[in-house]
Amino acid sequence: MSATVTSRVSSVLRKGLFVDKVAIVTGGGTGIGKAITQELLYLGCKVVIASRKIDRLSKSGEEMKQNPYRHSKSDLSYMQCNIRKEEEVKSLMDYTIEKYGRIDYLVNNGGGQFPAHIEDITLKGWNAVIETNLTGTYLCSREAYRTWMEKNRGAIVNIIADNFRGMPIMGHSGAARAGVENITKTMALEWAQYGIRVNAVAPGTVYSETAAANYGDLDVFGQAVEQIPAKRLGETQEISGPVCFLLSPAASFISGITLRIDAASSLYMHPNFYISDHKNLPPYKWSDDPVEDDTSSAPKSKL
């Protein structure tokens, strides 16, 4: 039997900075969410992580509880919650208040998508992705506001994606994340009077075992490196640090922004997407003659 490898956890922020603070992290048991949770624990925070898949969540939660790098005053709890379900989200907030007495921070990291061209996405698949990423973020934010933050202040960080040039092969997710970015701005304005800051973080191509498993045989990460100016993939800890910064007092005058964490990828080529040569966009013609339709042989864009 191989020994369990303990992740080295640290932070550029002062250890213990979040002692006596309480955070909820949706999707906090895997990938970027797990990195955020571990850094919060290092900083002394009490954290409730939530996910729809309780088996994976409990396994990850117990592992993080045993991590020797977390602060002695931190604590971790986990709860099954489908963020698409209003009553389950309300239960998550009630549980956190009952357990820890407050909700200082909310990180809306829970989400999901699958690779597919727009024309191949079924309505069921479309609704599932929109409801998980957009509706789930809305419900968690609304209930955190109603349950605690309206009267006690707080900070929210929404995790979106690099969708600023469209999101080929994941148009459902791109649409949902664009909605989250917009509602981030609206919440930042509407809730400013209650002392609530709301920001978004847009990771570029960040490797995690969970994300790699979701893509199956598609070599998303291998193809992306060439199109990242840094010529390497991001790491989950490179997302968790900025998230904790946005929650911290150092960001007390920052609200309504989207922080791109992508090594300038959004200014460069489009990762994982290539359009084959074609002649299917006819030139402009001032003529009454019908334009020849040659779209039947159009090659499909590929990863």
Side-chain angles (χ1 to χ4, degrees):
M1 182 184 299
S2 59
T4 300
V5 178
T6 301
S7 303
R8 179 73 169 95
V9 180
S10 186
S11 178
V12 296
L13 301 174
R14 171 175 57 83
K15 189 171 186 177
L17 179 64
F18 291 159
V19 166
D20 297 327
K21 299 295 185 181
V22 176
I24 294 174
V25 181
T26 62
T30 57
I32 290 173
K34 184 176 182 180
I36 293 169
T37 299
Q38 292 191 114
E39 187 156 348
L40 287 170
L41 292 172
Y42 175 89
L43 295 170
C45 199
K46 296 175 176 62
V47 185
V48 177
I49 58 175
S51 177
R52 184 171 55 88
K53 299 179 179 179
I54 188 62
D55 292 342
R56 180 187 293 181
L57 184 68
S58 59
K59 179 180 179 180
S60 181
E62 292 302 320
E63 174 193 322
M64 287 188 282
K65 282 185 177 183
Q66 303 304 316
N67 197 306
Y69 298 106
R70 70 181 183 90
H71 195 282
S72 60
K73 292 187 177 181
S74 69
D75 193 43
L76 177 66
S77 298
Y78 48 87
M79 179 180 178
Q80 185 176 24
C81 177
N82 183 342
I83 59 175
R84 297 161 58 183
K85 306 295 184 181
E86 186 174 26
E87 292 306 315
E88 292 190 26
V89 171
K90 289 180 178 180
S91 295
L92 172 63
M93 303 300 159
D94 291 342
Y95 170 82
T96 304
I97 293 294
E98 181 179 351
K99 178 77 175 179
Y100 296 120
R102 58 194 299 141
I103 304 171
D104 299 285
Y105 310 131
L106 169 65
V107 180
N108 285 308
N109 171 75
Q113 58 270 318
F114 55 89
H117 289 88
I118 288 286
E119 66 271 22
D120 296 328
I121 300 173
T122 64
L123 180 58
K124 180 180 179 180
W126 172 270
N127 286 339
V129 172
I130 297 295
E131 290 175 7
T132 301
N133 293 286
L134 178 55
T135 305
T137 295
Y138 158 68
L139 287 174
C140 289
S141 300
R142 188 193 72 183
E143 292 308 313
Y145 167 85
R146 289 178 174 178
T147 305
W148 181 261
M149 293 185 180
E150 178 185 9
K151 297 180 179 179
N152 300 280
R153 298 180 290 183
I156 299 173
V157 175
N158 299 321
I159 311 299
I160 57 171
D162 179 6
N163 63 344
F164 306 105
R165 298 156 296 169
M167 204 166 176
I169 317 301
M170 291 194 185
H172 43 13
S173 183
R177 311 290 185 162
V180 172
E181 183 182 26
N182 193 271
I183 202 173
T184 295
K185 299 173 185 178
T186 301
M187 291 189 294
L189 291 172
E190 291 191 2
W191 294 348
Q193 61 184 312
Y194 305 106
I196 303 170
R197 296 185 300 104
V198 188
N199 293 292
V201 161
T205 308
V206 176
Y207 180 83
S208 73
E209 292 182 359
T210 307
N214 288 339
Y215 294 123
D217 295 333
L218 296 176
D219 186 21
V220 171
F221 295 109
Q223 294 180 38
V225 172
E226 179 184 351
Q227 297 156 349
I228 300 174
K231 298 303 177 184
R232 68 170 177 85
L233 300 173
E235 300 182 18
T236 55
Q237 293 84 355
E238 292 176 300
I239 308 303
S240 65
V243 169
C244 289
F245 160 75
L246 287 173
L247 296 174
S248 79
S252 60
F253 206 56
I254 301 175
S255 193
I257 71 158
T258 295
L259 178 61
R260 302 184 187 188
I261 310 175
D262 62 1
S265 295
S266 55
L267 305 176
Y268 197 48
M269 302 168 65
H270 209 305
N272 305 314
F273 188 72
Y274 172 75
I275 299 175
S276 303
D277 290 339
H278 68 88
K279 297 180 180 179
N280 293 311
L281 186 64
Y284 174 78
K285 291 182 179 180
W286 186 260
S287 172
D288 294 329
D289 297 332
V291 177
E292 181 180 353
D293 183 3
D294 190 30
T295 58
S296 59
S297 60
K300 206 167 192 178
S301 54
K302 299 179 180 180
L303 284 173

